[in-house]
DNA sequence: CGACTTATTGAAGACCGTCAATTACTGTGG
DNA sequence: CCACAGTAATTGACGGTCTTCAATAAGTCG
């Protein structure tokens, strides 16, 4: 049991997400409950896993935001993807796996060991689907960076985050908490914070979104998605 | 057995790569031999799998180049990654999996069904490592597009391709065949073909590489890698 | 309150895109 | 063997998006 932090209902979002991916049976829920007993708190800005180090234990993000990130020798930084409650961390199934990217906490987070799942079990299916969605998010990120302009990149990322947070029950209608600075957004979108700031102002002026520090509200997600040709990630038929 | 095309030694590169990832036993090699009996030829520019369609059978690329690609509604195109002999196509392990990207043949290619691998078998390990490397390549692509300039993007991608082709035995020292047009390169690097052309000329002038249609020779791969801070993808300890 | 981070604004310029034309190629058929 | 079409590579002029470099305002926390 973690100290100084009650096992609140927040981690429920992680289970909500996994349930949305594949219907979990009692055994799976028990395994998750069990794993949560060994939850571990990681402070904002601390590494959860480190690039190039051996992965000793796959983990499940229970609450808070994390991000996969790469640092270049000269100090440039690139966020590869964001991880939300219910996302897997370091889940690969070969021996002596090295982390291919650092995972850093973007807020104070709670993680727990990822319960083992027998081949074919509901939990196993949920993991596979989760990994496939992760891959989908990476592909979306590549397309964003390669072929969208600044305005489109911002909208596209916010739409993705909104969809994902809706899936795990963290969004409130069209609004959601976004614990990211404009500089962080810039390092995710391949832009400078100055330009992100200008484009965000433009988006606000045009009525596409409302922005308070730590909170975003999209005026019309569906309309915005149509406007920029955004498609949600889908990895299974029904 | 495929018709009109002898089962040449070319597919051997695919086995070479898988062997390099994990030492395969006789059973694995037999399974691969068996699968190659059902090899299928796909013409350049044809889809091997199509985004959004259900994946009926994972495949192994035996010879030729393929690429994962996304097309935007307005005609913009983004290549997500390139696939070389020995790479897996559509290998995901959840039911009713949908392809998250189209895979298109960049040259005439040979593919075969991916042999089943029992959990824990050498083949299974090779697949897992291959998938992890694929992910590494996607992360590298994100970093390229997000934080490298045009010159660095070109060098970084060529270095990656050189490393991968060396792994499966397709490179000849510092040179390798590159069946890509400058426009294709542009759509992979988030640039225009005009700018790729100019940057390639600059790289040639500065002595970094030689470029003939369909063939590249890097003057000093290790030096170039140091110069732009390129790191090869590594996913296992030793 | 004071130190720190984050957001905002302005001016200047670099990098890369767009448009359009020209020059190689490559393969095909007469 | 050459004419031809189609694709790919190359070049030039110009413009826009985004960056860089400051500086200032606003917010946060002990």
């Amino acid at each position: 049991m973690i100290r100084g932090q009650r096992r609140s209902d927040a981690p429920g979002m992680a289970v909500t997400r996994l349930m949305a991916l594949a219907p979990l049976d009692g055994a799976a829920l028990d395994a998750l409950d069990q794993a949560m007993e060994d939850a571990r708190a990681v402070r904002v800005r601390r590494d959860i896993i480190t690039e190039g180090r051996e992965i000793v234990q796959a983990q499940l993000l229970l609450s808070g935001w994390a991000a996969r990130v790469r640092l270049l020798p000269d100090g440039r930084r690139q966020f590869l993807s964001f991880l939300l409650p219910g996302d897997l961390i370091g889940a690969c199934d070969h021996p002596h796996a090295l982390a291919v990217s650092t995972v850093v906490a973007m807020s104070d987070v709670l993680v727990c060991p990822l319960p083992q799942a027998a081949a074919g079990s509901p939990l196993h299916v949920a993991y596979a689907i989760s990994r496939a969605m992760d891959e989908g998010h990476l592909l979306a990120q590549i397309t964003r960076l390669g072929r969208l302009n600044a305005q489109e990149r911002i909208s596209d990322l916010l739409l993705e985050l909104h969809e994902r947070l809706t899936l795990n029950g963290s969004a409130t209608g069209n609004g959601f908490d976004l614990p990211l600075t404009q500089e962080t957004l810039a390092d995710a979108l391949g832009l400078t914070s100055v330009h992100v700031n200008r484009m965000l102002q433009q988006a606000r002026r045009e009525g596409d979104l409302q922005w308070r520090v730590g909170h975003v509200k999209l005026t019309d997600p569906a309309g915005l998605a149509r406007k920029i040709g955004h498609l949600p990630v889908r990895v299974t038929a029904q």
Side-chain angles (χ1 to χ4, degrees), chain A residues 7 14 40 56 100 107 131 170 178 181-182 189 211 217 221 225:
Chain A
R7 214 177 109 209
R40 176 170 73 94
V56 291
V100 285
S107 63
R131 273 198 295 261
S170 304
L178 182 79
T181 66
Q182 294 182 6
L189 295 174
W211 173 281
K217 184 168 184 181

Side-chain angles (χ1 to χ4, degrees), chain A residues 165-179:
Chain A
L165 289 169
T166 299
L167 190 66
N168 75 14
S170 304
T172 56
N174 295 341
F176 56 93
D177 290 330
L178 182 79

Side-chain angles (χ1 to χ4, degrees), chain A residues 1-3 7 30-40 62 111-113:
Chain A
M1 194 69 202
I2 52 174
R3 285 173 299 176
R7 214 177 109 209
D30 286 350
L32 286 169
D33 263 348
Q34 180 67 39
M36 285 187 209
E37 297 289 324
D38 296 320
R40 176 170 73 94
L62 294 175
V111 296
C112 74

Side-chain angles (χ1 to χ4, degrees), chain A residues 30-235:
Chain A
D30 286 350
L32 286 169
D33 263 348
Q34 180 67 39
M36 285 187 209
E37 297 289 324
D38 296 320
R40 176 170 73 94
V42 179
R43 288 310 183 108
V44 58
R45 255 178 293 269
R46 294 269 195 236
D47 285 2
I48 301 174
I49 63 175
T50 305
E51 182 170 353
R53 296 262 287 274
E54 193 158 338
I55 295 176
V56 291
Q57 166 74 60
Q59 298 175 74
L60 174 66
L61 181 56
L62 294 175
S63 69
W65 285 44
R68 307 181 67 174
V69 65
R70 284 236 168 129
L71 299 171
L72 307 198
D74 63 356
R76 285 178 284 187
R77 181 172 67 162
Q78 178 64 49
F79 287 106
L80 306 161
S81 67
F82 292 110
L83 302 177
L84 309 180
D87 280 334
L88 313 188
I89 298 173
C92 32
D93 51 354
H94 59 97
H96 304 296
L98 299 184
V100 285
S101 74
T102 293
V103 175
V104 63
M106 303 305 287
S107 63
D108 289 347
V109 305
L110 235 45
V111 296
C112 74
L114 190 69
Q116 292 288 341
S121 68
L123 209 48
H124 188 84
V125 172
Y127 293 168
I129 295 176
S130 182
R131 273 198 295 261
M133 293 193 72
D134 274 358
E135 182 180 352
H137 297 140
L138 294 182
L139 302 184
Q141 172 77 335
I142 291 172
T143 306
R144 254 196 296 273
L145 295 176
R147 284 297 174 237
L148 302 191
N149 63 31
Q151 190 66 256
E152 295 169 325
R153 285 184 211 182
I154 293 173
S155 301
D156 190 66
L157 178 57
L158 293 180
L159 283 167
E160 177 191 306
L161 294 172
H162 179 249
E163 283 154 14
R164 294 170 63 188
L165 289 169
T166 299
L167 190 66
N168 75 14
S170 304
T172 56
N174 295 341
F176 56 93
D177 290 330
L178 182 79
L180 306 177
T181 66
Q182 294 182 6
E183 179 152 18
T184 303
L185 269 183
D187 281 343
L189 295 174
L191 301 167
T192 59
S193 61
V194 172
H195 201 57
V196 166
N197 181 278
R198 289 182 172 129
M199 294 300 102
L200 275 177
Q201 289 180 55
Q202 185 180 312
R204 279 180 282 185
R205 274 198 308 274
E206 295 179 358
D208 286 341
L209 57 82
Q210 291 173 259
W211 173 281
R212 292 197 332 266
V213 174
H215 194 88
V216 179
K217 184 168 184 181
L218 302 175
T219 308
D220 174 18
L224 187 57
R226 241 178 292 111
K227 177 172 157 187
I228 66 166
H230 169 92
L231 291 176
V233 171
R234 294 203 47 226
V235 301

